[in-house]
Amino acid sequence: MTLQSATRPETGRISYGYARDKGVALIPGDPPVFAIRRGADPFALIEARRAAGYPFPVREMDAAAFDKALTEIYAYEGLKDDGLGSENEAEDLSRIIDEIPKTEDLLDAASDAPIIRLINGLIAEAIRTNASDIHVEPYEGRVAVRYRIDGVLSETASLSPRVAPALVSRIKVMSRLDIAEKRVPQDGRLTLSLGGRAVDVRVATLPSRFGERVVLRLLDNEQARLGLEDLGMTGQQLADLKKALAQPNGIVLVTGPTGAGKTTTLYAGLNLLNGPERNILTVEDPVEYAIAGIGQTQVNAKVGMTFAAGLRAILRQDPDIVMVGEIRDGETAQIAVQASLTGHLVLSTVHTNSAVAAITRLKDMGVETFLLGSTITAIVAQRLVRRLCPHCREARPATAAELEAMGCRADETVTLHHPRGCGSCKGLGYSGRVGLYEIVTVDETLRGMIHDNAREREMATHAFRNRQTLFQHGLDQVRAGVTSLEEVLRVCREDGEHHAGL
């Protein structure tokens, strides 16, 4: 690639194509820094330095860090290059909103361009800020746009209500939904590429009083390639889970509330097991990430394709390993148990607050205790907490109330870190998330307790006599300065409910 094609003459910026192919990018800053992908051709760096006109400092990055930097630098351009953007240069989201015509009829085809630019700007900004969802919510006097970043919703923009019909119609067109149907909810999907990353966008509409609400869920396919080692488990937890996954049969359950990362954990387990010698089949609602080498089936209740029906069908496909997106009813639970008894390894999720509570939940669904005891091999409970921003976190001695919440002695000296907020974390004090886990492995003693209908507290006492609970794992992360005590108490309510005043 020549000097001419490596930069834009008017800005001196390295073009996206050159940066992606050659592994060299110029990160804006004071001063700017050249990022070079580990293993990239050093001559590409020499050419980029000549193109930029100044020998800025160099920072070597591994492939994952370099791809993340590319995404942040070229977010808007990445959307535009895929044919989803306008012909203008990358723009700031606030400027796109300000430039929406004030008087033109936005439903007129000639005025479609500002709406397309707005949607692309919203998606690009969401990906730039690592948002998982975009909420478009019409009200009487405005349209609120909110992003869910690290599990917390925050309002990003407030638009004129006249924008709503055109905005929703355009999103429906992009996700191949019926734009004429506004009375019933609809679900759709669109795929785009950004900075070399494939991003699936799941679209859900819902009729409301002032128009249709739309939620766009951004599914980063990089999440599907995470390994178990990347999830944040302790060495003991990792060993326990790998041992359970190495069994030829049995049931491995992952529990937790919506948005706790259960699917990511299941996919990490499937990645460990995936190989040409195994037939791995899944039934999911919906299929969130595509994994090469695994047969994935989507639930479709409209045509009778429920979890139970899908699970029955895939068991006739000679599987070695079966993943069921969620055990929601007794029928699915019974089939999963029978599948494990006939020599299959079954992975699934259940909505409960703790690992031991999953046993009670399956009992309530009608599964016999002797079957549960002989089929369940491990139960993982998890939560996600926000990571403190490493650039601005503040260290302070723990107060008496904080020491009490942590179960420490009143005279103990403990240093805790707190969020402050800076430009790097956009004033939030947090950046990214980390998992908290507890794992129950079913040994002979616990198997007998399940069979004898022991109380949850008794089973938990046995299960965690040598293992960490969610709350204990969270406190370790607090002591290490990874997250704040407030975050751990927020997600581990069953352990810290009486400390809510902190």
Side-chain angles (χ1 to χ4, degrees):
M1 196 172 285
T2 65
L3 174 69
Q4 216 80 17
S5 61
T7 67
R8 296 180 170 177
E10 68 275 16
T11 62
R13 249 181 101 200
I14 297 173
S15 70
Y16 169 69
Y18 187 89
R20 180 194 59 202
D21 297 340
K22 299 296 185 181
V24 178
L26 186 59
I27 302 176
D30 189 18
V33 175
F34 276 111
I36 181 165
R37 185 168 51 214
R38 194 164 291 147
D41 184 355
F43 289 106
L45 176 62
I46 295 170
E47 182 72 13
R49 277 181 153 178
R50 283 178 51 209
Y54 193 83
F56 296 116
V58 177
R59 185 189 306 160
E60 188 182 44
M61 295 180 171
D62 60 32
F66 185 82
D67 287 345
K68 187 170 187 289
L70 270 193
T71 298
E72 292 170 355
I73 299 165
Y74 297 96
Y76 290 99
E77 182 178 354
L79 281 172
K80 178 172 72 70
D81 287 348
D82 288 338
L84 293 171
S86 68
E87 294 178 0
N88 299 325
E89 289 299 316
E91 297 169 278
D92 181 71
L93 179 58
S94 59
R95 192 168 69 190
I96 294 173
I97 294 170
D98 290 342
E99 291 178 0
I100 291 176
K102 301 292 186 286
T103 56
E104 292 179 39
D105 181 2
L106 287 165
L107 293 175
D108 185 357
S111 300
D112 214 19
I115 293 298
I116 296 172
R117 284 169 52 209
L118 173 61
I119 293 170
N120 295 338
L122 290 172
I123 294 174
E125 183 67 18
I127 294 172
R128 190 194 293 272
T129 56
N130 289 320
S132 60
D133 301 84
I134 305 171
H135 291 239
V136 180
E137 304 164 341
Y139 298 104
E140 186 174 14
R142 67 191 183 104
V143 176
V145 178
R146 297 195 291 172
Y147 288 169
R148 188 177 293 280
I149 301 173
D150 295 336
V152 179
L153 275 172
S154 60
E155 187 162 325
T156 302
S158 183
L159 309 174
S160 166
R162 64 191 175 76
V163 173
L167 183 60
V168 173
S169 293
R170 186 64 205 179
I171 292 172
K172 284 183 168 183
V173 168
M174 293 170 72
S175 51
R176 295 175 177 82
L177 299 178
D178 183 356
I179 62 172
E181 181 55 80
K182 301 178 181 179
R183 300 164 299 171
V184 297
Q186 295 187 66
D187 294 310
R189 200 168 191 141
L190 61 103
T191 304
L192 53 91
S193 177
L194 183 68
R197 281 173 19 188
V199 180
D200 281 336
V201 183
R202 214 165 69 213
V203 180
T205 70
L206 179 71
S208 70
R209 184 180 176 190
F210 299 107
E212 290 177 280
R213 295 169 64 101
V214 181
V215 174
L216 295 89
R217 167 153 286 192
L218 309 179
L219 302 170
D220 184 354
N221 286 333
E222 290 296 316
Q223 294 290 320
R225 287 191 278 274
L226 288 177
L228 290 174
E229 291 81 2
D230 304 319
L231 300 181
M233 294 181 182
T234 65
Q236 182 65 65
Q237 291 169 341
L238 197 58
D240 286 344
L241 183 54
K242 283 185 173 179
K243 183 179 177 182
L245 292 173
Q247 302 301 315
N249 52 53
I251 299 175
V252 177
L253 294 173
V254 182
T255 78
T258 301
K262 300 187 296 295
T263 303
T264 300
T265 300
L266 285 179
Y267 280 15
L270 292 179
N271 283 331
L272 177 71
L273 298 168
N274 195 6
E277 73 283 1
R278 292 190 180 101
N279 182 23
I280 303 177
L281 299 176
T282 76
V283 54
E284 306 170 57
D285 182 23
V287 175
E288 294 196 6
Y289 307 108
I291 306 179
I294 293 178
Q296 297 171 272
T297 303
Q298 182 153 323
V299 164
N300 187 349
K302 291 178 183 175
V303 295
M305 184 63 165
T306 61
F307 274 119
L311 182 51
R312 270 202 203 90
I314 62 177
L315 287 173
R316 294 194 290 269
Q317 294 283 314
D318 185 32
D320 298 295
I321 298 165
V322 171
M323 193 269 266
V324 187
E326 184 184 344
I327 295 178
R328 293 178 181 171
D329 52 55
E331 187 181 8
T332 308
Q334 294 285 1
I335 300 168
V337 166
Q338 291 303 321
S340 71
L341 288 172
T342 52
H344 303 89
L345 179 63
V346 180
L347 281 60
S348 190
T349 70
V350 182
H351 282 291
T352 59
N353 287 329
S354 67
V356 173
I359 297 168
T360 306
R361 179 88 176 98
L362 292 176
K363 283 185 200 171
D364 292 342
M365 288 183 185
V367 181
E368 297 288 347
T369 54
F370 72 91
L371 291 175
L372 286 179
S374 57
T375 55
I376 296 177
T377 54
I379 309 170
V380 181
Q382 68 179 82
R383 301 288 190 279
L384 291 177
V385 290
R386 293 181 290 174
R387 286 180 185 270
L388 286 165
C389 174
H391 304 289
C392 66
R393 64 180 184 177
E394 290 181 329
R396 294 200 301 267
T399 64
E402 288 169 336
L403 287 171
E404 183 186 354
M406 296 175 70
C408 300
R409 298 191 317 274
D411 59 346
E412 228 176 303
T413 302
V414 178
T415 300
L416 301 183
H417 290 80
H418 300 270
R420 189 180 68 191
C422 65
S424 179
C425 61
K426 298 177 177 58
L428 298 173
Y430 296 96
S431 179
R433 289 190 287 180
V434 64
L436 305 182
Y437 300 89
E438 66 180 24
I439 299 184
V440 170
T441 54
V442 180
D443 57 15
E444 287 302 321
T445 303
L446 188 56
R447 192 168 285 122
M449 295 175 83
I450 295 171
H451 184 272
D452 296 338
N453 270 314
R455 296 165 61 92
E456 273 187 34
R457 186 176 293 275
E458 294 170 6
M459 290 190 285
T461 300
H462 171 76
F464 297 115
R465 71 193 190 286
N466 296 317
R467 298 289 188 273
Q468 284 189 322
T469 63
L470 269 172
F471 191 59
Q472 290 165 346
H473 188 200
L475 291 184
D476 279 358
Q477 299 286 33
V478 169
R479 290 175 181 273
V482 174
T483 189
S484 65
L485 180 59
E486 292 84 356
E487 272 294 289
V488 172
L489 294 176
R490 178 177 69 86
V491 302
C492 297
R493 292 185 187 277
E494 69 276 9
D495 294 287
E497 216 163 30
H498 59 289
H499 303 302
L502 279 176

